[in-house]
Amino acid sequence: MTLFKKAETLIPYLFQQKQNGRSVGFVPTMGALHQGHLSLIRAAQKRNDLTVCSIFVNPTQFNNPDDFARYPKTMDKDVEALLAGGCDVLFLPAVGEIYPPAFAARRYELGALENVLEGKYRPGHFQGVCQVMDRLLEIVAPAELYLGQKDYQQCMVIERVIALLGKAGEVSVNVVPTVRETDGLAMSSRNLRLTENQREKAPALYKALRFAKDALATQSVEAVERQADAALRQQGFAVDYFAIADAATLLPATDVSKPMVALVAAHLDGIRLIDNLPLN
Ligand code: AMP
């Protein structure tokens, strides 16, 4: 695996690789890697000649400074995992590399996506996601991008930003299913922050999603949302939302014959966890 810290060296390296006919698959991450990230690396390896992983904890997508400060960092382990996983290139930029002094943040028109669910509870978050993706796509210019379904709304935002940048014909997006612990908890870097007691409670999120999937066969969307929300609160979660949404728009599901997705965000003593489950 080759390590790059500078865009000015990575860009010509990748240009040469592409000239030699090698297709580039890209897996952007914020590190503290787990099996979820590694499943994206594997997916990239299957379809591309060269797999590039980036590790960059993007300050502009954190609406909560405390969350940014406490974001887990396990760099030595990450490098080991990527080496063992056969990743070809690791891009490890400093903040100034992604946001040089002359960087002027533009505004990305995300429409309703920006104001629902994660957008509502994390103001500015998706503009930050768009900024970092804009810059990373400019540097890596991959043929294929690999994203986790764990961040359902983020996948939609990134597909939108690719279209806004006029790159829909250059880069195709592959959404990889969520990798879970055996008890159902979606793998997440933030799980490292859970105490033993919190870790025991955390699978309740997935249980609530499974409940929603089953209960929707006989109950209304509103009744299912209400019960799932109440069950989580009873178990000590501070729930931002438990929502059953149209899978294509993330607006409230009004037509249950269309594909739907259940999405949840909840805090356990200040640690914010998200998960989702496609329903039909
Ligand atoms: P992050 O490091 O949290 O920014 O995540 C980097 C990428 O890994 C994103 O595309 C995530 O959606 C994806 N990812 C995170 N957790 C999982 C998981 N449990 N299963 C599959 N993909 C994941």
Side-chain angles (χ1 to χ4, degrees):
M1 183 168 72
T2 316
L3 170 68
F4 291 86
K5 293 190 172 183
K6 301 276 181 203
E8 68 187 25
T9 47
L10 179 59
I11 291 169
Y13 173 82
L14 291 176
F15 180 77
Q16 193 57 53
Q17 296 289 327
K18 292 168 200 163
Q19 288 286 95
N20 295 344
R22 305 189 81 197
S23 73
V24 172
F26 180 39
V27 180
T29 82
M30 298 204 297
L33 301 182
H34 49 67
Q35 287 302 323
H37 297 114
L38 295 177
S39 76
L40 303 190
I41 299 283
R42 277 194 297 277
Q45 283 172 323
K46 263 193 204 144
R47 289 173 57 98
N48 301 98
D49 303 309
L50 196 83
T51 298
V52 178
C53 176
S54 64
I55 297 182
F56 178 66
V57 185
N58 174 32
T60 69
Q61 74 185 69
F62 284 82
N63 52 312
N64 174 350
D66 193 47
D67 189 27
F68 177 59
R70 288 170 190 248
Y71 199 82
K73 290 170 191 71
T74 60
M75 190 53 73
D76 292 348
K77 272 189 168 171
D78 291 354
V79 171
E80 266 174 43
L82 290 172
L83 276 172
C87 181
D88 301 296
V89 169
L90 171 57
F91 182 41
L92 208 57
V95 174
E97 204 60 34
I98 297 297
Y99 303 117
F103 176 83
R106 60 173 270 196
R107 229 199 106 67
Y108 303 86
E109 282 310 324
L110 301 174
L113 256 189
E114 184 155 9
N115 303 315
V116 297
L117 307 172
E118 288 301 281
K120 177 173 170 191
Y121 288 91
R122 300 188 68 187
H125 168 63
F126 286 130
Q127 288 297 319
V129 168
C130 290
Q131 282 170 15
V132 75
M133 284 312 303
D134 187 350
R135 184 75 178 115
L136 287 171
L137 289 173
E138 178 181 70
I139 295 168
V140 180
E144 311 250 355
L145 180 65
Y146 295 83
L147 304 172
Q149 192 170 52
K150 157 90 185 348
D151 298 281
Y152 192 98
Q153 192 171 3
Q154 176 171 277
C155 291
M156 291 176 68
V157 164
I158 293 174
E159 287 189 10
R160 179 75 58 89
V161 80
I162 288 172
L164 287 174
L165 294 169
K167 293 187 172 172
E170 291 166 33
V171 51
S172 50
V173 174
N174 300 272
V175 177
V176 177
T178 303
V179 177
R180 299 179 179 281
E181 304 285 357
T182 47
D183 59 12
L185 176 64
M187 291 192 183
S188 164
S189 304
R190 287 188 178 82
N191 293 352
L192 289 173
R193 292 182 50 204
L194 297 170
T195 63
E196 205 174 316
N197 187 264
Q198 292 162 345
R199 174 65 188 81
E200 266 172 36
K201 284 186 185 170
L205 290 180
Y206 184 58
K207 284 204 192 89
L209 293 168
R210 294 299 306 247
F211 158 79
K213 187 166 181 153
D214 295 341
L216 263 184
T218 53
Q219 299 183 51
S220 71
V221 164
E222 293 74 20
V224 173
E225 285 176 338
R226 220 175 20 248
Q227 290 169 74
D229 183 290
L232 288 170
R233 286 178 199 277
Q234 205 181 15
Q235 290 169 79
F237 288 85
V239 181
D240 279 350
Y241 58 82
F242 186 101
I244 295 171
D246 181 305
T249 63
L250 292 188
L251 296 175
T254 47
D255 180 352
V256 294
S257 67
K258 283 192 184 162
M260 294 184 288
V261 56
L263 307 106
V264 61
H267 304 248
L268 263 181
D269 307 321
I271 301 172
R272 190 170 188 277
L273 300 173
I274 62 170
D275 200 354
N276 66 81
L277 191 66
L279 297 177
N280 51 351

